């Protein structure tokens, strides 16, 4: 099935293509960070490299960019249209510049009108103790533009410490603001007695920075009624709700946990009477069924009977909201739509508090749903499992907004624990379980800290283990977006490192690209079973339009026993304190590929005419093609080498020159096999004489070539490697050919110690041995030297190649008169030499 990619051209203008080149755009911030669905709204994007920005690319077809205005190299303004069907939550996007895509950022979509302060004056935007821009009392109903400008300065009322606050004009709105260091934001809302007030803050979830906010709601008399910090559903972002005990003005206070903040510490706060569900129960259900779902909140649980969608395409896109007369909440309730049935714990049934042989057993795939209602509660479900069927048993609790820190235990019919797991990448448990025998087993769930309560919901999915494969771009830096987009210069090529994650199989993987920009081509690629990534090359024709696309990557594994298909996945860390502590991320499943402006050079790697021999070397010729006027030095690298093949880290082709030689050496451990090989090139800034800043770091690639590693075609053995100081010795090396070798070879001895000399010799293809005349100085070092070898150097069809013969041979040098030989001319061992000395 072909997936239509939404790439929206926000501005079309003439592009002058020249040698000059800049880096792709980089996004620092998006203001406002939130827009209302079903409306048109403007966002200002701040960063760098925006002077040639051409498009805003959304990963969702429900968001389009109507217009884009480049204000400067550092700012642009885009008009975005969000459809009525747009998902609530973060929507990823990128800015497309002349030289490729920017890093990924997100725009939050809300169901409410968005109130945006006027940042023309950044002093005290909803700030305590400073000048303010606030909106007078009034209704947000009838507002169609998606944002309200706070243009009137209004002293709402006297709050504690004589500070001012922003008046919330109506319920069910989204207010945007900025938290500066040491400040408290205050919002005032008018409530009637018995009216619900729900406040939800989005800060960390906006994907900008680790802005850890705290929330308080104060009564008209100034008492703190609710204090909220972290919560299981939104983690660092607080949420609170209350029923107003009396009519009056209630104050909402927001500040950073340590009173930190800054000019770009953006956040949004949703203020309304929308429902406050913490979790849904059950927290998932099968496609196409009508089922009761309980929304568990602060006060009581509300139950509704809902129709779940039947389209499998909604398995990853479905959003659940609590039905409400006031409309949807600003955040969806976590819910797992599945293709398998539910088993739901009966509230009043205590028979599952321990393994019970009388409980009806079910079979995989199935989802087990329950609530740990009290401290120390344990729920046990019976399943029938077969010895030949491996199962994945995975708990969902923290990931669905529950406070449960799950502990999974598998118990057999004799009450023996056969498997257990606490955490698996989060506080949720997961284990892969292969039953030791066919029979009944119990899946037992409890909280590791023995906590419980009415909102301690969990869901355990029991599914047969299935092989899977996923493509990705390896990340050089764990918490950055480096090397996660592709830009192919017109008329050139780039290297793409494609990695695969295999699960439950070790086979070879075949891959292909689809939906690439016009004029861009990629050859099919393969990743052998013993590699997790391989190089492939994308090329663009010289007349390829300066366009972009979110491309597809498809994978397939083919063998007699297995056929697995997979696609591309890119996980982007948006807010991370460290490589191991991720707060907010975005997952996308298409690869951003752009055609960029041309570069003034390209690189070619000559195909070898002969294999690289084990214990030998091969010289590859590299050529740099330069545009007229470009004479700067170019650094060449071979970024992918087969195992046990080594070379210099880089080769610099000096200014004005067009070719160089790269020597590859295969060690004895290298295995005969064919591998892809590619060369990359970029300006060598260390020795460049001109201004290369416009193309610094821009890398191009050669075409992929095949490099074959083969057994060496010639072997040999030394006859005698022993001499005394001051002696001359003829060293014979017997040769045996097993395949074609050069007609003429130059033989040299390597690994000789200091003050030991030997001239090279010529070897013809008919020679069965090579004889070296080795001269030992009177003060040559005494001892055994174990690294002597014979190297044979020649050419095959113009390809320089060398072979190592008799590697790791030992040369013995003795003092004058101290080397004893036997009748065969071979040196005696130390023991034999001692015996001869004693006889003499």
């Amino acid at each position: 099935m072909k997936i239509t990619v939404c790439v929206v051209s926000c501005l079309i203008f003439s592009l002058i293509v020249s040698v000059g080149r800049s880096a792709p755009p980089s996004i620092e911030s998006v203001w406002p960070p939130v827009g209302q669905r079903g409306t048109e709204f403007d966002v200002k994007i701040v960063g760098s490299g925006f002077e040639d920005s051409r498009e805003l690319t959304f990963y969702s077809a429900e968001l389009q960019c109507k217009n884009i205005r480049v204000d400067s190299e550092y700012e642009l303004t885009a008009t975005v249209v969000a459809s009525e069907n747009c998902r609530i939550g973060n929507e990823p996007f990128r800015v497309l510049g002349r030289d490729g895509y920017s890093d990924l950022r997100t725009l939050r979509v809300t169901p409410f009108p968005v109130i945006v302060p006027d940042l023309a004056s950044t002093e005290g935007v909803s700030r305590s103790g400073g000048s303010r821009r606030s909106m007078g009392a009034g209704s947000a109903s009838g507002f169609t533009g998606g944002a309200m400008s706070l243009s009137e300065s209004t002293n709402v009322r006297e709050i504690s410490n004589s500070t001012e606050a922003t008046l919330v004009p109506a319920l069910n709105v989204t207010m945007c603001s900025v938290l500066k260091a040491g400040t408290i934001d205050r919002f005032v809302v008018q409530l009637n007695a018995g009216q619900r007030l729900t406040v939800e803050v989005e800060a960390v979830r906006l994907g900008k920075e680790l802005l850890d906010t705290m929330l308080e709601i104060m009564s008209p008399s100034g008492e703190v009624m609710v204090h909220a910090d972290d919560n299981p559903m939104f983690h660092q972002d607080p949420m609170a709700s209350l029923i107003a005990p009396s009519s009056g003005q209630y104050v909402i206070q927001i500040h950073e946990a340590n009173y930190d903040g800054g000019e770009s510490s953006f956040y949004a706060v949703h203020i309304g009477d929308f429902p406050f569900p913490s979790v849904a129960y059950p927290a998932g259900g099968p496609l196409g069924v009508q089922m009761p779902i309980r929304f568990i909140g602060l006060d009581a649980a509300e139950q509704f009977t809902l129709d779940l969608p039947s389209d499998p395409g909604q398995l990853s896109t479905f959003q659940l909201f609590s039905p409400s007369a006031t409309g949807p909440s600003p955040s969806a309730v976590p819910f797992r739509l599945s293709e398998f049935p539910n088993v739901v714990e009966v509230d009043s049934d205590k028979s599952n508090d321990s393994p019970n042989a009388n409980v009806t057993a079910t079979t995989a795939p199935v989802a087990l749903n329950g609530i740990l209602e009290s401290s120390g509660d344990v729920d046990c479900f019976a399943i029938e499992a077969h010895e030949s069927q491996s199962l994945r048993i995975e708990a969902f609790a923290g990931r669905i907004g529950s406070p449960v820190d799950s502990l999974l235990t598998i118990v057999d019919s004799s009450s023996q624990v056969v498997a257990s797991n606490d955490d698996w990448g989060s506080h949720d448990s997961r284990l892969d379980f292969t039953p030791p025998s066919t029979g009944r087993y119990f899946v037992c769930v409890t909280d590791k800290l023995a906590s419980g309560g009415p909102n301690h919901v969990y869901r355990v999915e029991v599914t047969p283990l299935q092989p899977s494969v996923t493509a990705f771009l390896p990340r050089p830096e764990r918490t950055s977006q480096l090397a996660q987009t592709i830009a192919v210069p017109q008329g050139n090529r780039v290297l793409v490192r494609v990695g695969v994650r295999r699960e439950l199989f070790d086979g070879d993987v075949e891959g292909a690209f689809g939906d690439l920009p016009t004029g861009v081509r990629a050859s099919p690629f393969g990743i052998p079973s013993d590699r997790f990534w391989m190089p492939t090359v994308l090329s663009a024709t010289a007349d390829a339009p300066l366009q972009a696309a979110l491309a597809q990557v498809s994978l397939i594994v083919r063998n007699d026993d297995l056929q697995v298909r997979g696609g591309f996945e890119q996980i982007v860390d948006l807010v991370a304190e460290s490589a191991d502590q991720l707060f907010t991320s975005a997952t996308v499943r298409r690869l951003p590929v752009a055609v960029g402006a041309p570069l003034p050079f390209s690189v070619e790697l000559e195909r070898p005419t002969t294999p690289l021999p084990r214990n030998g070397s091969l010289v590859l010729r590299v050529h740099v093609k330069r545009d007229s006027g470009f004479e700067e030095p170019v650094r060449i690298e071979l970024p992918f080498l087969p195992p046990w093949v080594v070379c210099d880290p880089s080769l610099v082709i000096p200014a004005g020159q067009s070719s160089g030689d790269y020597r590859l050496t295969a060690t004895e451990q290298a295995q005969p096999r064919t591998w892809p090989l590619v060369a990359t090139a970029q300006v060598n800034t260390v020795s460049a004489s001109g201004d290369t800043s416009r193309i610094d770091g821009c890398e191009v690639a050669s075409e992929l070539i095949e490099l074959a590693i083969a057994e060496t075609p010639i072997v040999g053995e030394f006859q005698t490697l022993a001499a005394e100081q001051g002696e001359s010795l003829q060293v014979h090396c017997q040769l045996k050919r097993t395949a074609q070798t050069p007609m003429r070879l130059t033989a040299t001895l390597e690994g000789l110690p200091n003050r030991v000399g030997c001239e090279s010799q010529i070897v013809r293809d008919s020679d069965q041995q090579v004889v070296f005349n080795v001269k030992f100085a009177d003060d040559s070092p005494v001892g055994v030297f174990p690294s002597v070898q014979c190297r044979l150097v020649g050419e095959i069809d113009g390809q320089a190649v060398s072979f190592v013969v008799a590697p790791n041979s030992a040369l013995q040098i003795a003092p004058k008169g101290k080397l004893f030989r036997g009748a065969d001319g071979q040196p005696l061992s130390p023991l034999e030499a001692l015996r001869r000395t004693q006889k003499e």
Side-chain angles (χ1 to χ4, degrees):
M1 179 178 67
K2 184 177 179 63
I3 298 176
T4 302
V5 178
C6 175
V7 179
V8 185
S9 298
C10 299
L11 180 66
I12 301 175
F13 55 89
S14 298
L15 294 172
I16 301 175
V17 177
S18 66
V19 170
R21 182 181 175 91
S22 61
S26 177
I27 301 175
E28 182 179 329
S29 64
V30 180
W31 177 261
V34 180
Q36 184 185 7
R37 74 173 175 184
T39 69
E40 177 181 303
F41 51 89
D42 287 349
V43 293
K44 181 176 286 293
I45 301 175
V46 176
S48 62
F50 291 149
E51 64 272 24
D52 292 321
S53 296
R54 298 183 278 129
E55 297 178 357
L56 234 60
T57 301
F58 289 97
Y59 284 78
S60 169
E62 303 301 328
L63 282 164
Q64 296 186 359
C65 184
K66 182 178 178 180
N67 181 55
I68 187 171
R69 183 181 75 245
V70 177
D71 302 314
S72 71
E73 178 184 353
Y74 307 105
E75 292 185 352
L76 63 85
T77 302
T79 301
V80 179
V81 179
S83 77
E84 294 283 355
N85 298 321
C86 190
R87 284 170 51 86
I88 301 299
N90 279 351
E91 290 291 350
F93 74 94
R94 297 180 187 270
V95 174
L96 175 64
R98 177 180 167 193
D99 298 305
Y101 277 119
S102 72
D103 43 351
L104 182 145
R105 289 292 182 264
T106 58
L107 180 66
R108 190 83 179 181
V109 177
T110 175
F112 301 147
V114 178
I115 299 177
V116 183
D118 180 7
L119 291 189
S121 172
T122 58
E123 291 294 324
V125 179
S126 298
R127 199 67 59 231
S128 65
S131 65
R132 313 196 46 77
R133 292 180 177 266
S134 58
M135 187 171 187
S139 173
S141 63
F143 175 75
T144 58
M148 301 180 185
S149 176
L150 302 185
S151 57
E152 299 179 7
S153 179
T154 304
N155 186 357
V156 179
R157 60 166 302 207
E158 182 177 344
I159 310 299
S160 59
N161 299 324
S162 300
T163 61
E164 296 174 301
T166 298
L167 178 66
V168 179
L171 291 180
N172 297 324
V173 295
T174 297
M175 312 282 287
C176 294
S177 191
V178 185
L179 268 180
K180 293 184 179 179
T183 61
I184 301 174
D185 281 7
R186 292 182 170 88
F187 302 90
V188 175
V189 60
Q190 179 71 40
L191 297 177
N192 296 322
Q195 191 172 14
R196 175 173 291 282
L197 172 65
T198 305
V199 182
E200 178 186 328
V201 178
E202 294 196 74
V204 176
R205 286 178 293 159
L206 295 179
K208 174 64 176 60
E209 61 183 56
L210 185 55
L211 182 63
D212 188 5
T213 52
M214 300 187 73
L215 167 67
E216 291 178 337
I217 301 177
M218 302 172 67
S219 70
S221 62
E223 297 177 357
V224 175
M225 300 182 66
V226 179
H227 176 89
D229 189 1
D230 302 341
N231 71 80
M233 183 173 288
F234 303 137
H235 304 293
Q236 274 68 37
D237 290 344
M239 184 178 185
S241 187
L242 57 80
I243 303 296
S246 61
S247 298
Q249 290 184 320
Y250 289 75
V251 178
I252 300 163
Q253 294 194 151
I254 300 171
H255 64 86
E256 202 277 334
N258 297 308
Y259 294 92
D260 291 332
E263 296 289 342
S264 61
S265 296
F266 303 157
Y267 73 93
V269 55
H270 311 287
I271 302 172
D273 58 358
F274 50 89
F276 184 94
S278 60
V279 287
Y281 179 71
L287 287 166
V289 304
Q290 186 180 76
M291 63 179 289
I293 300 177
R294 195 189 322 166
F295 293 87
I296 304 173
L298 288 178
D299 306 316
E302 293 184 283
Q303 183 164 302
F304 302 89
T305 299
L306 303 179
D307 293 320
L308 298 183
S310 57
D311 179 10
Q314 294 198 45
L315 284 170
S316 60
T317 61
F318 175 70
Q319 289 187 300
L320 179 69
F321 295 92
S322 173
S324 170
T326 60
S329 302
S331 296
V333 179
F335 188 84
R336 291 186 57 80
L337 197 61
S338 69
E339 296 182 284
F340 41 82
N342 273 1
V343 170
V344 180
E345 176 192 27
V346 179
D347 292 350
S348 59
D349 186 7
K350 300 299 182 181
S351 63
N352 70 336
D353 287 353
S354 61
N356 187 337
N358 296 320
V359 173
T360 302
T362 187
T363 58
V366 68
L368 313 174
N369 300 269
I371 303 176
L372 300 176
E373 297 173 322
S374 58
S375 178
D377 192 8
V378 179
D379 291 343
C380 297
F381 298 84
I383 62 171
E384 292 287 344
H386 297 275
E387 182 178 0
S388 60
Q389 184 182 41
S390 295
L391 302 175
R392 172 156 292 169
I393 303 175
E394 184 168 11
F396 293 87
R399 288 175 287 176
I400 58 171
S402 170
V404 171
D405 184 357
S406 63
L407 174 64
L408 275 180
T409 305
I410 310 301
V411 178
D412 64 17
S413 57
S414 60
S415 299
Q416 296 298 310
V417 174
V418 293
S420 66
N421 177 258
D422 178 11
D423 299 339
W424 185 283
S426 69
H427 288 306
D428 291 344
S429 311
R430 192 186 93 178
L431 55 86
D432 293 343
F433 172 60
T434 301
S437 60
T438 299
R440 171 175 289 219
Y441 294 86
F442 294 91
V443 178
C444 300
V445 187
T446 190
D447 185 276
K448 184 176 67 173
L449 301 178
S451 76
N455 66 337
H456 281 51
V457 171
Y458 64 85
R459 176 179 172 88
V460 178
E461 295 181 2
V462 183
T463 56
L465 275 173
Q466 299 289 341
S468 65
V469 60
T470 306
F472 67 98
L473 298 185
R475 290 189 280 184
E477 298 177 11
R478 173 66 176 81
T479 58
S480 84
Q481 297 189 40
L482 183 66
Q484 295 299 288
T485 64
I486 299 170
V488 191
Q490 290 173 316
N492 224 315
R493 297 173 294 263
V494 295
L495 167 67
V496 181
R497 297 165 172 85
V498 181
V500 294
R501 285 189 292 269
R502 300 175 179 88
E503 190 165 10
L504 303 178
F505 78 97
D506 296 317
D508 296 347
V509 178
E510 299 174 13
F513 290 86
D515 298 334
L516 290 167
T518 302
V520 176
R521 180 182 62 86
S523 300
F525 61 91
I527 302 177
S529 59
D530 58 348
R531 300 285 99 186
F532 90 91
W533 80 273
M534 291 291 279
T536 189
V537 170
L538 267 60
S539 61
T541 59
D543 59 352
L546 291 173
Q547 295 178 348
L550 298 178
Q552 304 285 343
V553 181
S554 57
L555 303 176
I556 187 170
V557 180
R558 290 192 184 97
N559 59 38
D560 294 339
D561 303 320
L562 184 69
Q563 187 170 76
V564 181
R565 295 182 182 274
F568 177 79
E569 182 179 78
Q570 188 174 65
I571 301 174
V572 180
D573 296 350
L574 296 174
V575 179
E577 189 171 81
S578 66
D580 298 321
Q581 193 169 11
L582 175 64
F583 293 94
T584 303
S585 66
T587 300
V588 292
R589 290 178 171 81
R590 281 166 284 163
L591 175 63
V593 180
V595 178
L599 286 174
F601 62 93
S602 59
V603 61
E604 298 289 346
L605 185 60
E606 283 191 10
R607 299 178 184 275
T609 59
T610 186
L612 170 63
R614 293 177 65 190
N615 254 336
S617 64
L618 194 68
V619 176
L620 296 177
R621 194 75 170 163
V622 184
H623 302 279
V624 172
K625 181 180 178 182
R626 302 173 181 271
D627 288 357
S628 177
F630 178 77
E631 300 295 333
E632 297 295 344
V634 176
R635 186 174 79 253
I636 309 295
E637 294 182 356
L638 300 180
F640 177 82
L641 291 175
W644 303 107
V645 174
V646 296
C647 69
D648 289 334
S650 63
L651 165 71
V652 175
I653 297 181
Q657 296 187 23
S658 59
S659 61
D661 291 333
Y662 229 127
R663 179 181 296 276
L664 301 182
T665 300
T667 65
E668 190 175 5
Q669 294 92 337
Q671 297 301 309
R673 185 166 163 181
T674 298
W675 296 89
L677 202 65
V678 63
T680 60
Q682 55 182 296
V683 174
N684 188 53
T685 56
V686 175
S687 56
S689 58
D691 181 8
T692 62
S693 59
R694 298 284 291 176
I695 57 175
D696 287 353
C698 297
E699 183 181 86
V700 298
S702 69
E703 290 184 345
L704 285 172
I705 66 170
E706 285 191 346
L707 173 70
I709 300 175
E711 296 287 357
T712 181
I714 185 168
V715 295
E717 183 180 4
F718 290 114
Q719 288 187 333
T720 302
L721 279 178
E724 294 179 353
Q725 291 175 315
E727 189 176 41
S728 293
L729 176 68
Q730 279 195 340
V731 173
H732 295 257
C733 183
Q734 301 298 319
L735 302 176
K736 180 181 179 181
R737 291 172 174 80
T738 58
Q740 178 190 3
T741 60
M743 299 286 291
R744 173 189 170 100
L745 290 164
T746 299
T748 58
L749 278 184
E750 297 179 340
L752 296 174
N754 294 332
R755 298 182 296 281
V756 177
C758 178
E759 294 183 355
S760 59
Q761 301 293 317
I762 301 301
V763 179
R764 306 291 179 180
D765 61 348
S766 59
D767 292 340
Q768 300 299 311
Q769 70 170 359
V770 57
V771 180
F772 297 98
N773 294 312
V774 184
K775 296 181 179 180
F776 298 84
D778 290 341
D779 59 347
S780 58
V782 173
V784 176
F785 303 91
S787 301
V788 176
Q789 62 188 21
C790 173
R791 183 176 295 277
L792 302 170
V793 180
E795 289 187 358
I796 298 179
D797 298 330
Q799 179 78 57
V801 64
S802 71
F803 315 99
V804 172
V805 170
N808 303 317
S809 297
L811 168 65
Q812 178 184 353
I813 303 177
K816 293 181 181 180
K818 298 297 183 179
L819 181 64
F820 300 96
R821 290 186 171 91
D824 58 359
Q826 295 298 317
L828 298 177
S829 68
L831 180 59
E832 291 171 331
L834 178 61
R835 289 172 178 169
R836 173 179 290 188
T837 302
Q838 290 175 344
K839 288 181 181 179
E840 294 176 351

